[in-house]
Amino acid sequence: MISVAMTTYNGEKYICEQIESILNQSMKVDEIIVCDDGSSDSTIELLKKYPVKVVQNDMNLGYRLNFKKAMELCSGDYIFLCDQDDIWLPNKVEEMMRMMKSHSNMHVLSSSFIYIDDKNQEIQMKVDKSRSNNNLYCRPVEKDSLYQVDFLDYLAMNYFQGCSLLLDKWIKDLVLEHYSTDIEHDYLINSIAASYSSMYFYNKPLFQYRLHENNSIGAQYDTQTKEEHLQRANTLKIRTQNAHNALNVLNIIRLANSDYYQENQEEFSHMSAFFYQHIQALENKKFFKLLCQNTSPYYSLIKTKKARVMDLLYVLKEKVIR
């Protein structure tokens, strides 16, 4: 049985296109569960035209808890996560199910995508040959190939949006058992699956991902100017975000995959100590402490060379301002 877990909030502008793209798949899904988070527009009325189950929240949960609720209500052996404003290509379900069923150790699969704007026009992105998945993933992956994602890749950030994911019931139940709102729902799913060596990326675009001003989460950097990106990056919150993410992920894995955590407990302990010290160095503007941290292999797990230079420049700038 195949389920779709969708969340909505004031999605009247695009919801019909998305629902119809799911219903017109070459391989049919068995149920579409929609959890609405208090829409005040015509989203609910539009959904009544389709064979979907709509659950309206009594109070606004926010997207992290709303996706949790949608997953809980899914009864399928396989669950696709779905946003309200994208468009699935006709073979998305068939292609991803084929991949999932042909790999017994695969519990989560992400596909690539095509950016579109609010008029369904494709948005072209400048390709970085050192990256993949529209430059979101930090490693190059050959087109149309399958790649197993390493757990350590997830320490700093998430690379695959929830709307790109297919997961099976085993990982869904495990994620729900250890659900945390400390990180995004897709980051949680992907990092737990990667710790079990069961997270894969299929570098083939199977849906259209819409960029518009009302995205609740998404690829913010891709629509920013260079100046806007630099201004946003030069804040303490952003400079410490990756280290906070890493600490949250390690704590989640300690509970969700205790065997893996125990096997790597000493290494994880050293990592945690480094990430704490890194946050403190940034908070306290310790230039030479940050400079010395560049000798640690753990720094490269959460930041690129360019980002490490920016840490130093951030501290220097803050010292001058003070």
Side-chain angles (χ1 to χ4, degrees):
M1 183 174 181
I2 303 172
S3 300
V4 176
M6 176 188 284
T7 62
T8 57
Y9 178 74
N10 290 341
E12 63 180 6
K13 188 172 182 180
Y14 306 112
I15 190 67
C16 291
E17 278 186 293
Q18 174 65 300
I19 292 291
E20 288 170 13
S21 75
I22 298 170
L23 294 175
N24 291 323
Q25 288 289 301
S26 59
M27 175 181 283
K28 303 303 181 184
V29 302
D30 297 290
E31 65 175 7
I32 302 174
I33 305 296
V34 181
C35 283
D36 184 80
D37 211 18
S39 291
S40 57
D41 64 1
S42 62
T43 298
I44 299 299
E45 289 304 312
L46 291 171
L47 286 170
K48 289 179 180 178
K49 300 189 303 181
Y50 300 103
V52 302
K53 179 180 180 181
V54 180
V55 178
Q56 295 176 265
N57 298 334
D58 295 329
M59 58 182 291
N60 186 275
L61 298 178
Y63 71 89
R64 297 183 187 187
L65 288 177
N66 201 24
F67 262 109
K68 177 177 183 284
K69 183 174 181 179
M71 287 191 290
E72 287 174 332
L73 293 171
C74 287
S75 54
D77 302 303
Y78 301 95
I79 303 95
F80 284 88
L81 302 191
C82 183
D83 288 348
Q84 66 184 7
D85 47 12
D86 301 330
I87 301 174
W88 287 14
L89 299 184
N91 61 336
K92 173 180 164 72
V93 172
E94 184 176 5
E95 286 271 311
M96 295 187 74
M97 286 297 298
R98 177 176 61 82
M99 283 288 179
M100 179 74 82
K101 289 191 172 183
S102 62
H103 294 79
S104 60
N105 66 324
M106 182 188 296
H107 294 292
V108 177
L109 176 63
S110 170
S111 78
S112 189
F113 59 93
I114 300 165
Y115 281 123
I116 59 171
D117 61 18
D118 57 358
K119 297 180 177 62
N120 293 359
Q121 298 300 306
E122 183 174 347
I123 301 173
Q124 296 290 340
M125 295 292 174
K126 185 178 180 180
V127 176
D128 183 342
K129 292 183 179 180
S130 68
R131 305 176 74 88
S132 58
N133 200 31
N134 292 283
N135 300 334
L136 294 182
Y137 187 39
C138 62
R139 301 188 185 280
V141 178
E142 187 176 345
K143 183 180 177 182
D144 295 339
S145 66
L146 187 68
Y147 184 83
Q148 185 176 0
V149 184
D150 187 83
F151 168 72
L152 291 180
D153 285 351
Y154 279 115
L155 284 181
M157 65 187 71
N158 182 42
Y159 301 102
F160 307 104
Q161 317 100 307
C163 56
S164 73
L165 300 182
L166 165 63
L167 50 150
D168 66 10
K169 187 178 185 301
W170 181 84
I171 200 74
K172 182 200 81 168
D173 291 343
L174 183 64
V175 167
L176 291 176
E177 181 183 353
H178 299 284
Y179 205 84
S180 170
T181 57
D182 290 337
I183 59 177
E184 292 83 359
H185 65 287
D186 43 13
Y187 194 0
L188 179 71
I189 293 166
N190 295 338
S191 57
I192 290 176
S195 76
Y196 284 93
S197 301
S198 63
M199 166 69 206
Y200 285 79
F201 168 52
Y202 183 30
N203 193 20
K204 182 175 183 177
L206 293 175
F207 69 103
Q208 295 174 317
Y209 180 84
R210 195 183 303 276
L211 290 179
H212 57 89
E213 61 182 9
N214 294 323
N215 285 75
S216 61
I217 53 176
Q220 300 101 326
Y221 292 110
D222 290 315
T223 55
Q224 289 179 334
T225 65
K226 184 177 180 181
E227 291 73 20
E228 288 172 335
H229 174 66
L230 289 173
Q231 183 178 6
R232 183 175 183 271
N234 276 324
T235 63
L236 180 62
K237 179 180 179 180
I238 295 301
R239 302 255 49 93
T240 59
Q241 186 64 61
N242 288 3
H244 281 298
N245 285 345
L247 289 170
N248 285 331
V249 167
L250 291 175
N251 186 55
I252 288 165
I253 298 306
R254 179 177 61 84
L255 301 173
N257 192 347
S258 58
D259 289 344
Y260 182 74
Y261 189 88
Q262 290 297 324
E263 290 171 9
N264 299 277
Q265 186 171 7
E266 184 175 357
E267 185 77 356
F268 283 7
S269 178
H270 292 318
M271 286 184 193
S272 295
F274 174 84
F275 300 142
Y276 275 119
Q277 292 165 9
H278 180 62
I279 293 169
Q280 292 172 351
L282 285 166
E283 289 177 341
N284 297 315
K285 316 298 185 295
K286 299 294 186 180
F287 178 86
F288 290 105
K289 178 68 173 178
L290 282 172
L291 190 62
C292 291
Q293 285 183 347
N294 277 275
T295 62
S296 171
Y298 302 134
Y299 208 164
S300 63
L301 291 177
I302 60 170
K303 291 183 180 177
T304 63
K305 289 181 180 179
K306 182 179 179 180
R308 298 199 292 272
V309 171
M310 288 184 69
D311 280 344
L312 295 171
L313 293 176
Y314 164 77
V315 168
L316 287 176
K317 180 181 178 182
E318 290 296 306
K319 282 182 174 292
V320 169
I321 293 174
R322 290 169 62 186

